[in-house]
Amino acid sequence: MMDVQTQKIETLLAEMTLEEKIGQLQQCGPSLVGAFEVSFEELLDMMFDGRISQEEFGKLMSTAEQDFHEEDLRAGKIGSYNGVGDALTANRLQKIAVEETRLGIPLLFGYDVIHGFRTVTPIPLAESCAWDPALWQRTARMSAQEATAAGVHMTFAPMVDVAKDARWGRVSEGAGEDTLLNGDYGAAKVRGFQGDDLAQTDALVACLKHFSAYGAGEAGKDYNRVDMSLQRLWEEYLPAYKACIDAGARAVMPAFNDLNGVPCTVNDWLLRAVLRDEWGFDGVTVSDANAIAECVNHGVAADRQDAAKQALQAGVDIDMTSNAYSENLQGLIEAGEVAEALLDEAVQRILKLKFELGLFDQPYRTDAEKEKLTLVKPEYRALAREAAAKSMVLLKNEGILPLQPQQKIAVIGGLADDAGQMTGAWAIGALGEDCVSLTQALDAQGIAYAYHPGIIDGSVAADAVNQAVETADVVILAIGEQKEESGEAASKADISLPAIQLELAETLVRTGKPVVAVLFNGRPLAIPTLAEQVPAILEAWHPGLEAGNAILDLLYGTVNPSAKLTTTFPHTTGQCPLYYDHIATGRPGGKSKFTSKYLDTPLEPVYPFGFGLSYTTFAYSDLWAEKRADAVRLTVTLKNSGNRAGEEIVQCYVQDKVAKRARPVKRLAAYRKVLLQPGEAVAVEFAVPFEKLGYYDQRMEFVLESGAFTFFVGGNSRDNLAETVDLRFG
Ligand code: GLC
């Protein structure tokens, strides 16, 4: 017996013409048109390569309007939009779809709500350093409320691409180098975005991305090839996506990259055998922007028609802005080259999602008034501030922090005074002027300070800087990256701080004043010199709307730092990819010459995965492990050995000492955030299920082998207590 929704879908499908079916697969990105001859993309390239200045670009943009292709919409040729971010426009287009097309099928509106909509929260890499699924879910719920109030139905998030190479610009958009953290982060985001019922008007469909292994692009270059063993794919990359599917994500975006030579967009093994047959995913797949057409560039499609054919056969439902489907599917089906049943499958899944969202009954979920009342509510601003303070990592503190109210401070560095830079990458719904810079926060809190940008016209203004800090008791140095230096198409071959910023830091250190470096960046940076030179470093990342206030909360100790790194900070770019869960090799790096290391670089990172300081200290003792029926249970005593309350992220790692395939020297198996009062001690318990101890052998059989397993527990991936257990399975 067919359920009512399925019956409605089948009835609607039977009425649809071939053109109308193809129209449902078409996702339109509003094109910018204006008083310029070239396309918007060409204009962007002209700006990036300097053929026009940013001012000229801005002036041309001021003449731009968005073309929403209403005539195609009226003709039933558009099923969804990417990039409509206001209720007025969304409702206007929805009205055309519902009232002026033959069948009145409502539109689906997709948007990149990656780390907030208007209330922009810390970039995902930053927020991942909170190690806090409850927080991740809360900020996602807030983003969903804002975005749906602006007419959005689906976000192209969470991004859970495990990223072990800091040269890649998109490391900023995920939860770092660890598999478990990316999975927990993504699952929490899915729950937060979608809520308990997609038919609720503030439910936002989660479209997990980029499926799969986009973070493993060779040499950290964006869009580059991904070539790895199936063992590594299944052990290190796929679990994070699977966690999002298990959390109920209703959409998936295939990645731009190829996987072992087959682009994900036309990879039927990935999109059908794994995603649908093995994982049981029955939602919608949305190609990445123009990705179907780009299969021609990959060299696996002869032309756009071939690309369209392969993508539909592989299981891509929605064509995001390439037009390969709208241009070719009718001809392919009429020529019998593609079965119409494949098209029907895709249409059914798209219609199903629209029914799940309740769009047929309630196509208008919001209006301009609701949008206005919802954006940047005070409670959202408070949550953004909380999230930022929980995301910033205290990397070094030689008795300088927390600052005392009576201390005179000087603030040096343009990033301290640039609210727009605080949004970070992929904050397309945010307004820079909504953000609070460090200087604005100081002003708002009535804290006196001297300020100087430090670098003028590409040079350190040494005299002016010396003068600015002359009467200061402590100097806050704001350095790092512009928001454009991370995110998409922002890979770097050098992740060290620019020489001019190091020169500024040295200039300040020479004054003899204590310097607190506040880093604003979207990826791990190679900062060995800075780490040696200055007595305190706060990794602020690009912290979003409440940047300045959250930084002051931490610098003055209103909030005790608790965040820990989710990516490794190398000494030099040359070490990339550098990550904690590496394998030992036959000659593990060490003192003697003939071991796996570099001649010119230390073996250890500047700061290891899982590292972060607090204003209090924590002591670990009495680690104890025992085998239970289907898990290993561990207990450790954790004590707050300092003089103020604080949260510690207790991390539990495991190593399979002997296996048929070399196993990581350690891999995160569990973690827990614990709040302790000064002097308080607790027993922290973990249960590591046996399936976390297995791996894939050379025949891709998942095996669980008896033998010795060492468990490491501590406050980061380097400093641990260890306990080895001999486990017998089966
Ligand atoms: C971009 C990104 C993807 C984003 C999409 C839609 O190219 O790869 O992450 O969601 O386009 O804007």
Side-chain angles (χ1 to χ4, degrees):
M1 174 66 178
M2 218 183 268
D3 65 62
V4 172
Q5 187 182 93
T6 307
Q7 272 175 343
K8 286 180 178 177
I9 292 170
E10 291 309 313
T11 306
L12 193 46
L13 189 68
E15 290 179 53
M16 293 171 78
T17 64
L18 182 56
E19 294 81 355
E20 286 165 337
K21 291 180 189 177
I22 294 168
Q24 284 302 303
L25 278 56
Q26 174 71 6
Q27 183 165 100
C28 172
S31 35
L32 279 169
V33 291
F36 35 87
E37 299 312 310
V38 295
S39 73
F40 173 63
E41 287 69 22
E42 172 62 17
L43 208 60
L44 268 180
D45 285 344
M46 288 166 73
M47 180 186 67
F48 281 131
D49 62 24
R51 281 178 283 159
I52 57 172
S53 68
Q54 291 214 351
E55 291 68 34
E56 286 167 305
F57 177 79
K59 212 185 308 173
L60 286 167
M61 280 296 96
S62 65
T63 68
E65 287 165 11
Q66 288 191 309
D67 175 359
F68 295 95
H69 305 279
E70 283 90 338
E71 282 324 301
D72 286 344
L73 176 56
R74 278 188 187 85
K77 294 181 178 176
I78 296 174
S80 59
Y81 280 88
N82 165 15
V84 174
D86 71 278
L88 219 51
T89 306
N91 286 346
R92 180 176 67 79
L93 295 169
Q94 192 67 291
K95 194 169 186 314
I96 294 173
V98 170
E99 297 182 9
E100 299 181 39
T101 64
R102 191 175 75 87
L103 292 171
I105 298 172
L107 287 166
L108 181 75
F109 290 103
Y111 201 89
D112 288 285
V113 187
I114 310 300
H115 53 107
F117 180 66
R118 270 291 292 283
T119 300
V120 63
T121 50
I123 57 171
L125 181 63
E127 199 185 14
S128 71
C129 294
W131 298 55
D132 188 341
L135 173 71
W136 299 333
Q137 185 167 331
R138 287 167 56 212
T139 52
R141 185 83 303 264
M142 168 184 74
S143 307
Q145 288 164 346
E146 276 199 335
T148 52
V152 179
H153 300 139
M154 172 191 283
T155 175
F156 304 117
M159 186 270 228
V160 290
D161 303 326
V162 168
K164 298 176 186 278
D165 192 324
R167 293 172 291 182
W168 191 45
R170 303 197 78 166
V171 66
S172 62
E173 297 173 51
E177 67 194 52
D178 179 72
T179 306
L180 176 66
L181 277 179
N182 270 282
D184 286 359
Y185 173 84
K189 290 297 178 185
V190 168
R191 290 190 297 270
F193 287 140
Q194 297 188 161
D196 301 329
D197 173 8
L198 279 186
Q200 294 299 314
T201 56
D202 67 356
L204 186 66
V205 170
C207 175
L208 82 93
K209 69 185 185 183
H210 304 81
F211 190 59
S212 70
Y214 183 22
E218 194 171 87
K221 267 202 303 197
D222 210 350
Y223 317 119
N224 207 5
R225 72 180 304 184
V226 170
D227 208 286
M228 68 172 69
S229 69
L230 290 180
Q231 285 88 348
R232 186 167 201 189
L233 179 70
W234 281 94
E235 287 167 359
E236 297 185 28
Y237 290 85
L238 292 183
Y241 305 105
K242 177 72 165 48
C244 297
I245 299 293
D246 292 347
R250 298 302 296 140
V252 173
M253 180 184 290
F256 279 127
N257 54 280
D258 71 280
L259 180 59
N260 300 335
V262 182
C264 297
T265 306
V266 293
N267 194 317
D268 62 324
W269 173 77
L270 202 56
L271 300 183
R272 290 190 186 279
V274 176
L275 184 61
R276 295 199 186 278
D277 300 345
E278 184 150 347
W279 291 357
F281 175 68
D282 67 350
V284 165
T285 52
V286 190
S287 79
D288 204 332
N290 200 43
I292 294 176
E294 289 167 10
C295 290
V296 178
N297 301 339
H298 276 285
V300 299
D303 52 30
R304 293 166 63 85
Q305 184 187 63
D306 186 18
K309 175 179 177 182
Q310 290 189 50
L312 192 70
Q313 287 172 335
V316 174
D317 297 329
I318 292 180
D319 172 4
M320 183 189 283
T321 68
S322 91
N323 301 328
Y325 276 2
S326 57
E327 291 165 1
N328 296 290
L329 284 188
Q330 180 161 354
L332 285 164
I333 289 168
E334 286 170 350
E337 291 207 29
V338 167
E340 187 162 357
L342 283 181
L343 172 63
D344 290 351
E345 262 181 41
V347 176
Q348 284 163 329
R349 289 191 285 258
I350 294 164
L351 294 178
K352 182 170 188 288
L353 184 59
K354 292 181 175 182
F355 271 109
E356 286 172 350
L357 279 163
L359 294 177
F360 283 89
D361 298 329
Q362 192 179 14
Y364 309 103
R365 301 166 102 204
T366 182
D367 58 34
E369 187 54 29
K370 179 179 175 184
E371 177 183 346
K372 189 163 174 287
L373 292 173
T374 306
L375 296 186
V376 201
K377 286 179 181 174
E379 59 265 38
Y380 292 171
R381 208 174 251 284
L383 178 53
R385 181 167 176 169
E386 176 194 344
K390 288 181 174 177
S391 304
M392 298 181 188
V393 187
L394 183 58
L395 293 176
K396 187 176 181 183
N397 182 25
E398 288 175 347
I400 307 290
L401 299 173
L403 301 177
Q404 300 308 314
Q406 69 278 9
Q407 285 178 298
K408 290 185 188 153
I409 61 174
V411 177
I412 306 295
L415 281 166
D417 193 42
D418 190 340
Q421 288 299 326
M422 300 299 104
T423 66
W426 278 113
I428 56 178
L431 298 176
E433 56 264 31
D434 285 342
C435 293
V436 178
S437 69
L438 179 55
T439 52
Q440 287 169 327
L442 288 163
D443 292 337
Q445 296 187 29
I447 299 173
Y449 63 97
Y451 169 72
H452 191 280
I455 297 167
I456 304 280
D457 298 333
S459 300
V460 170
D463 297 342
V465 164
N466 288 331
Q467 190 178 353
V469 308
E470 199 166 3
T471 60
D473 300 318
V474 65
V475 178
I476 298 173
L477 167 62
I479 48 176
E481 293 182 318
Q482 300 287 308
K483 63 183 181 183
E484 293 79 11
E485 295 182 67
S486 61
E488 185 172 356
S491 294
K492 281 185 170 180
D494 181 356
I495 62 168
S496 51
L497 280 174
I500 191 78
Q501 291 187 17
L502 284 174
E503 186 189 334
L504 177 58
E506 281 155 11
T507 300
L508 290 170
V509 167
R510 277 198 299 272
T511 66
K513 306 275 185 182
V515 177
V516 177
V518 178
L519 283 175
F520 297 95
N521 43 298
R523 60 158 52 79
L525 295 176
I527 52 170
T529 310
L530 186 76
E532 273 174 20
Q533 273 180 332
V534 299
I537 301 176
L538 179 68
E539 173 54 80
W541 308 108
H542 288 127
L545 205 70
E546 283 290 304
N549 286 320
I551 291 168
L552 294 182
D553 288 344
L554 293 172
L555 292 183
Y556 282 95
T558 314
V559 174
N560 187 359
S562 60
K564 305 245 182 182
L565 292 177
T566 56
T567 47
T568 302
F569 275 50
H571 274 85
T572 62
T573 311
Q575 288 175 291
C576 294
L578 183 69
Y579 48 91
Y580 84 93
D581 54 342
H582 57 83
I583 61 174
T585 78
R587 295 191 174 186
K591 290 199 177 1
S592 67
K593 176 173 176 51
F594 300 98
T595 59
S596 180
K597 62 181 183 187
Y598 297 100
L599 287 176
D600 53 359
T601 300
L603 203 57
E604 293 306 318
V606 175
Y607 296 110
F609 175 87
F611 181 81
L613 298 174
S614 165
Y615 291 144
T616 187
T617 52
F618 294 97
Y620 288 77
S621 60
D622 308 321
L623 174 61
W624 181 66
E626 65 164 348
K627 180 183 175 191
R628 286 297 177 79
D630 58 357
V632 175
R633 180 168 163 271
L634 298 114
T635 307
V636 71
T637 301
L638 175 72
K639 180 175 181 180
N640 179 339
S641 49
N643 56 16
R644 65 170 288 172
E647 286 187 296
E648 170 71 338
I649 297 167
V650 183
Q651 302 155 44
C652 173
Y653 298 86
V654 62
Q655 179 189 22
D656 181 348
K657 304 294 282 181
V658 179
K660 293 191 180 55
R661 278 184 49 245
R663 311 304 303 132
V665 293
K666 60 181 64 159
R667 173 156 293 156
L668 187 67
Y671 57 92
R672 176 97 32 80
K673 201 181 231 184
V674 182
L675 172 63
L676 291 180
Q677 297 307 314
E680 185 185 3
V682 290
V684 180
E685 292 191 8
F686 294 107
V688 178
F690 288 162
E691 62 264 17
K692 281 196 184 276
L693 306 178
Y695 67 97
Y696 288 92
D697 68 12
Q698 288 193 79
R699 287 159 200 78
M700 276 304 289
E701 292 295 323
F702 189 76
V703 295
L704 189 52
E705 284 174 334
S706 302
F709 290 81
T710 299
F711 293 87
F712 305 88
V713 176
N716 61 68
S717 60
R718 180 189 62 201
D719 312 310
N720 317 110
L721 297 177
E723 188 69 22
T724 299
V725 189
D726 184 49
L727 297 175
R728 296 285 138 205
F729 304 113

